[in-house]
Amino acid sequence: MKTSRTVLLASLAGVGLALSLATVAVSAGNPVEERQAAMKSVGQSMKEASALTATFDAAKAKASMDSVAGAAKKLKGLYPTDSANDPKTGADPKVWTQKADFEKRLAEMGSLATAAGKTTDADSFKASFKAVGETCKSCHDVYRMKKKPA
Ligand code: HEC
């Protein structure tokens, strides 16, 4: 029967839509968790990359640095104004009062990482990897709370 099949298909499509809307709601609802997870992945990539300063591997260097650069892009969108007072954030309120400087620093971390990923020898990698690492502390000194809320 044609009608019931159409109804069935329509309701299946409805379920699919509801599921995908639920997924969107979850990810849009937790920018704090998402940015903390993205920062953690940056930390992980930096750890992997630091091993390459001893035994250089151009492909691995590119992969880890591209991942940092990708995170920098993603992070830019994860500081909506209404997340400033979230009790779980470890971000300093200055992120929102000095947003342009904050975003400039994120972009710098990204472009330095992209550059580090393009190096083809250990010495250049070491130097450019160090430059990426310096962006972490200098930003954290200003924009990250000394102690993350429990
Ligand atoms: C543009 C500023 C900026 C730069 C650059 C930056 N961070 Fe962060 N980072 C932050 C802020 C702000 C937080 C706190 C985020 C929150 O809790 O909402 C944070 C948090 C973190 C955390 C804790 C995440 C958690 O689980 O709560 C880690 C780990 C981290 N950063 C690693 C790094 C590393 C490694 C680098 C350099 C490669 C780096 N960050 C570069 C601003 C920055």
Side-chain angles (χ1 to χ4, degrees):
M1 266 221 327
K2 195 166 188 285
T3 0
S4 64
R5 188 160 176 270
T6 311
V7 169
L8 177 66
L9 285 177
S11 65
L12 282 178
V15 170
L17 182 65
L19 283 177
S20 57
L21 284 177
T23 316
V24 169
V26 166
S27 58
N30 286 296
V32 177
E33 280 173 23
E34 275 196 65
R35 70 197 180 219
Q36 290 176 345
M39 275 292 170
K40 264 190 206 137
S41 84
V42 166
Q44 187 58 38
S45 304
M46 290 299 281
K47 205 172 143 199
E48 284 162 20
S50 76
L52 304 173
T53 58
T55 43
F56 183 69
D57 178 315
K60 285 186 184 160
K62 184 171 184 334
S64 57
M65 291 298 100
D66 282 356
S67 150
V68 172
K73 282 211 179 78
K74 188 178 162 199
L75 277 159
K76 188 172 185 276
L78 292 176
Y79 288 86
T81 317
D82 64 1
S83 70
N85 299 316
D86 189 292
K88 289 213 170 86
T89 189
D92 190 278
K94 282 201 277 295
V95 166
W96 292 272
T97 55
Q98 304 174 16
K99 198 73 179 275
D101 178 66
F102 179 76
E103 290 185 346
K104 199 179 115 205
R105 286 163 182 264
L106 269 181
E108 195 185 320
M109 171 178 92
S111 55
L112 288 171
T114 301
K118 285 183 180 152
T119 54
T120 50
D121 67 276
D123 284 345
S124 342
F125 179 68
K126 251 184 235 173
S128 49
F129 171 70
K130 188 164 169 268
V132 178
E134 281 162 3
T135 66
C136 318
K137 186 176 185 306
S138 68
C139 185
H140 290 169
D141 281 350
V142 183
Y143 293 106
R144 186 180 173 194
M145 288 178 190
K146 297 290 162 275
K147 200 172 174 302
K148 184 181 160 185

